[in-house]
Amino acid sequence: MTGTEADGLGEEPQRGFAADHSIDAYTNLQALVLLSYGYSCALTGARFEPPKLHLHPDLDVVAIRPLDQGGPLSITNCLPLLSSLHRPFMEGLITIEDNHRILVPHPELLDRQVLTALRVSVLVPDDPLLRPAPEYLAHHRRYALGR
């Protein structure tokens, strides 16, 4: 049975995925990000074993500038984060300056354990071409600080 737009059962693109990228593009990017950061959280430095499958059980690969806000599917727009830090980062409770220093605009909104786990600066790959791009960091800061 195929639905229609009129009955509310029509096909809609899945949010969070760009229509012009295959699932392979996402899984390949995720693997590249995890490998480039040494299977470590960029915000805490916590290091893990490589995943047995595509998805990592402890680390999420997070877009700095979300795809639905014009961010590209690119390693310079992604960070590996502990799953528990994904939401605080996306909500702007944790952001990053252009010099890669971690900024917590409202520390009172984060759990003390999270605050003490954060590094002073983001862990970045050795290769400058793989590091977070300043324009995506700036977008994230504008979002975080503009609330």
Side-chain angles (χ1 to χ4, degrees), residues 1-12:
M1 179 172 127
T2 303
T4 65
E5 293 301 321
D7 65 11
L9 300 174
E11 292 287 323
E12 291 184 28

Side-chain angles (χ1 to χ4, degrees), residues 41-44 62-64 79 81-82 84-97 100-107 109-111 113-122 137 140-145 147:
C41 173
L43 297 177
T44 67
V62 179
I64 300 166
L79 291 170
L81 303 180
L82 288 171
S84 61
L85 295 178
H86 185 149
R87 187 173 179 172
F89 182 78
M90 294 311 297
E91 290 178 351
L93 298 176
I94 302 168
T95 191
I96 303 165
E97 297 176 342
H100 300 131
R101 290 185 60 82
I102 296 172
L103 176 66
V104 179
H106 301 284
L109 298 178
L110 286 176
D111 183 73
Q113 190 174 11
V114 169
L115 287 171
T116 58
L118 293 175
R119 297 168 46 95
V120 172
S121 295
V122 173
L137 296 174
H140 186 264
R141 281 193 309 276
R142 280 192 305 274
Y143 167 78
L145 302 175
R147 299 177 123 220

Side-chain angles (χ1 to χ4, degrees), residues 33-112:
V33 170
L34 293 173
L35 179 65
S36 298
Y37 283 81
Y39 303 97
S40 299
C41 173
L43 297 177
T44 67
R47 188 175 172 93
F48 299 92
E49 292 295 317
K52 291 184 180 7
L53 301 173
H54 290 294
L55 295 176
H56 199 282
D58 302 296
L59 295 168
D60 293 344
V61 174
V62 179
I64 300 166
R65 180 176 185 166
L67 302 179
D68 62 0
Q69 293 177 21
L73 190 61
S74 163
I75 191 169
T76 61
N77 186 40
C78 291
L79 291 170
L81 303 180
L82 288 171
S83 300
S84 61
L85 295 178
H86 185 149
R87 187 173 179 172
F89 182 78
M90 294 311 297
E91 290 178 351
L93 298 176
I94 302 168
T95 191
I96 303 165
E97 297 176 342
D98 286 345
N99 63 1
H100 300 131
R101 290 185 60 82
I102 296 172
L103 176 66
V104 179
H106 301 284
E108 69 278 4
L109 298 178
L110 286 176
D111 183 73
R112 186 146 195 74

